[in-house]
């Protein structure tokens, strides 16, 4: 009587379904391609700060002003040297012109003419040298203005008003997080199904997106854990036409809402926007975490442990690459205690509602 007993179980048929594959990532590390320090180019004291933390800046915008007390004095000295050199050049030029006229009338010696010519050329050189010194000082004076190195947001202010800094000292960190990037390794067989420009939706399973390393301000409309970001495949390395068993996929994240930062987040979910028609069964049919075995139902209504090969999943259904055919029935009830050869009756109620035609 025990051998003839029939066990009632829940089941589902292997069917072609429209699937948007999902990838669950324990950790995702974002990086920005646009982050740089605003650096002091001269020694000086911070006289004024024109920005605050989280304020937006444009490349070339003045964000700090420094004061180097030596520069104005040196500029005055350079201007005095220029005036002196101009006066000496005027005298030398006049003397040279006079000696030239006398030389034409043979009214002066060659030695005096040569001396006048040399004095004139020397005075010209002295004036140019004084002018170069002033130009260099004016360049240094302009460097008293510290400018933003790129378009972005002030992430960190290293120095405050009144602080003394030396040339080469970082004063503020500027970053642009409107577009962030991350990468992940992908097996070649999976990478061959990906193209540059493919889009996915990024979401998170926890509240990690509420934590910020740089304490940047949130944009309006933050929906917390339900926030969704558009992700685009930026690069595939090596290229798909080159032989490789493992490839690196670089993805760009549209973060114009300003919710994400350059840091690590956990519990990320990538959902492909591409619709694929795949042979699938419910994830509940998998016997263990390896996802390579199911209990299939034979034509005699008995159980058969079946080895399968699986692919992508969307959190509810999983792709069947081999081991099952369309229309095969698998058990979705708990597999504990089930054995090959057991007789079963299978309830497939509602299963067909989720299928699509080929």
């Amino acid at each position: 009587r025990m051998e003839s007993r029939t066990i009632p179980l829940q089941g589902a048929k292997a069917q072609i379904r429209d699937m948007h594959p999902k990838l669950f990532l324990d950790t995702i590390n974002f990086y920005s391609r646009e982050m740089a320090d605003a650096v002091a180019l001269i020694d000086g004291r911070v006289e004024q700060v024109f920005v605050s933390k989280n304020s937006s800046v444009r490349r070339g915008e003045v964000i700090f002003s420094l004061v180097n007390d030596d520069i104005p004095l040196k500029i005055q000295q350079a201007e005095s040297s220029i005036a002196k050199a101009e006066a000496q050049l005027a005298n030398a030029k006049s003397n040279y012109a006079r000696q030239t006229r006398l030389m034409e009338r043979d009214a002066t010696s060659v030695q005096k003419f040569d001396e006048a010519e040399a004095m004139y050329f020397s005075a010209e050189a002295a004036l140019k040298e004084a002018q170069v010194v002033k130009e260099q000082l004016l360049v240094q004076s302009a460097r008293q203005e510290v400018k933003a190195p790129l378009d972005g947001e002030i992430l960190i202010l290293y120095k405050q008003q009144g602080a003394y800094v030396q040339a080469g000292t970082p004063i503020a960190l500027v970053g642009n997080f409107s577009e962030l990037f991350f990468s992940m390794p992908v097996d070649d067989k999976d990478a061959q199904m990906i193209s540059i420009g493919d889009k996915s939706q990024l979401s998170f399973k926890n509240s990690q997106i509420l934590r910020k390393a740089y304490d940047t301000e949130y944009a309006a409309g933050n929906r917390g854990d339900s926030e969704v970001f558009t992700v685009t495949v930026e690069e595939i390395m090596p290229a798909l036409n080159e032989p490789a068993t493992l490839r690196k996929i670089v993805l760009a994240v549209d973060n114009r809402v300003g919710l994400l930062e350059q840091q690590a987040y956990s519990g990320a979910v990538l959902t492909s926007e591409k619709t694929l028609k795949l042979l699938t069964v419910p994830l509940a049919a998998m016997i263990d975490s390896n996802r390579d075995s199911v209990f299939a139902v034979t034509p005699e209504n008995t159980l058969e442990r079946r080895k399968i090969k699986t692919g992508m999943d969307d959190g509810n259904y999983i792709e069947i690459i081999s081991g099952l055919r369309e229309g095969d029935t698998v058990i979705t009830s708990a597999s504990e205690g089930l054995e090959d050869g057991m007789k079963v009756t299978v309830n497939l109620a509602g299963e067909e509602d989720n299928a699509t035609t080929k």
Side-chain angles (χ1 to χ4, degrees):
R1 287 197 301 271
M2 292 296 292
E3 291 178 355
S4 63
R5 186 181 63 170
T6 300
I7 303 173
L9 297 172
Q10 295 291 324
K13 288 187 179 296
Q15 296 178 331
I16 301 293
R17 290 182 173 83
D18 288 341
M19 177 183 282
H20 294 275
K22 288 187 178 182
L23 181 63
F24 298 88
L25 302 171
D26 292 334
T27 305
I28 190 169
N29 289 286
F30 291 127
Y31 63 90
S32 171
R33 291 178 176 174
E34 296 185 273
M35 285 188 71
D37 284 324
V39 177
L41 300 178
I42 62 168
D43 298 347
R45 177 176 48 82
V46 178
E47 180 182 43
Q48 196 166 355
V49 180
F50 300 105
V51 293
S52 59
K53 193 175 183 308
N54 297 326
S55 59
S56 297
V57 293
R58 304 290 293 177
R59 180 174 182 172
E61 179 182 343
V62 178
I63 58 176
F64 281 81
S65 65
L66 306 179
V67 171
N68 184 312
D69 295 331
D70 292 337
I71 292 178
L73 178 60
K74 289 179 178 179
I75 290 176
Q76 288 181 356
Q77 292 173 342
E79 289 174 343
S80 176
S81 297
I82 289 173
K84 182 178 179 181
E86 287 175 339
Q88 291 175 343
L89 176 61
N91 290 332
K93 184 177 181 180
S94 175
N95 187 41
Y96 178 49
R98 185 171 64 85
Q99 289 295 327
T100 300
R101 290 192 298 271
L102 293 173
M103 192 67 180
E104 290 173 349
R105 299 196 301 269
D106 293 328
T108 187
S109 65
V110 173
Q111 180 180 358
K112 288 185 177 180
F113 174 81
D114 289 343
E115 289 175 352
E117 185 179 51
M119 290 294 293
Y120 172 64
F121 290 145
S122 176
E124 267 191 335
L127 177 58
K128 289 180 180 178
E129 182 179 352
Q131 290 171 335
V132 167
V133 170
K134 181 182 178 181
E135 288 173 1
Q136 291 175 338
L137 289 169
L138 290 175
V139 170
Q140 291 188 33
S141 179
R143 289 176 176 173
Q144 292 180 114
E145 293 183 338
V146 180
K147 300 177 180 180
L150 49 84
D151 295 348
E153 185 176 343
I154 300 295
L155 303 177
I156 300 175
L157 290 171
Y158 299 121
K159 301 296 181 180
Q160 298 296 331
Q161 186 173 355
Y164 182 81
V165 297
Q166 294 180 318
T169 302
I171 296 181
L173 176 63
V174 182
N176 185 349
F177 292 162
S178 62
E179 187 175 46
L180 295 173
F181 300 85
F182 70 97
S183 62
M184 59 184 181
V186 176
D187 290 335
D188 177 62
K189 65 178 181 64
D190 296 325
Q192 293 296 333
M193 302 178 67
I194 300 172
S195 302
I196 292 177
D198 283 354
K199 294 187 180 298
S200 301
Q201 297 297 314
L202 173 66
S203 57
F204 295 88
K205 296 188 296 183
N206 54 42
S207 60
Q208 286 295 314
I209 63 170
L210 302 178
R211 301 179 184 178
K212 295 205 155 197
Y214 296 98
D215 194 29
T216 51
E217 293 180 340
Y218 287 111
N222 173 30
R223 297 177 296 169
D225 293 355
S226 62
E227 197 70 48
V228 177
F229 305 87
T230 299
V231 177
T232 306
V233 176
E234 181 88 358
E235 191 174 4
I236 302 175
M237 299 181 293
L240 294 176
N241 58 0
E242 298 179 17
T245 56
L246 193 68
R247 302 186 190 275
K248 178 181 177 182
I249 309 296
V250 179
L251 302 105
V253 183
D254 185 348
N255 186 45
R256 285 175 292 180
V257 293
L259 300 183
L260 300 172
E261 289 189 338
Q262 175 177 287
Q263 63 171 325
Y265 295 86
S266 63
V269 182
L270 272 178
T271 305
S272 174
E273 289 188 355
K274 185 184 295 184
T275 302
L276 302 177
K277 286 187 177 295
L278 303 172
L279 179 63
T280 65
V281 297
L283 275 169
M286 300 299 105
I287 292 177
D288 55 37
S289 59
N290 293 327
R291 307 204 298 191
D292 61 1
S293 299
V294 296
F295 275 116
V297 181
T298 69
E300 293 77 27
N301 291 323
T302 60
L303 294 183
E304 176 190 17
R305 182 185 290 264
R306 189 84 58 86
K307 293 294 290 184
I308 59 172
K309 185 176 181 181
T310 57
M312 299 175 287
D313 72 87
D314 63 0
N316 294 309
Y317 294 93
I318 188 167
E319 176 190 9
I320 301 299
I321 297 175
S322 63
L324 291 172
R325 294 181 298 180
E326 185 178 5
D328 286 350
T329 300
V330 295
I331 300 303
T332 56
S333 303
S335 61
E336 185 177 354
L338 299 183
E339 297 178 3
D340 281 350
M342 286 183 171
K343 292 184 178 181
V344 295
T345 57
V346 182
N347 179 12
L348 299 175
E351 186 62 26
E352 292 77 6
D353 295 341
N354 296 321
T356 64
T357 59
K358 291 184 287 184

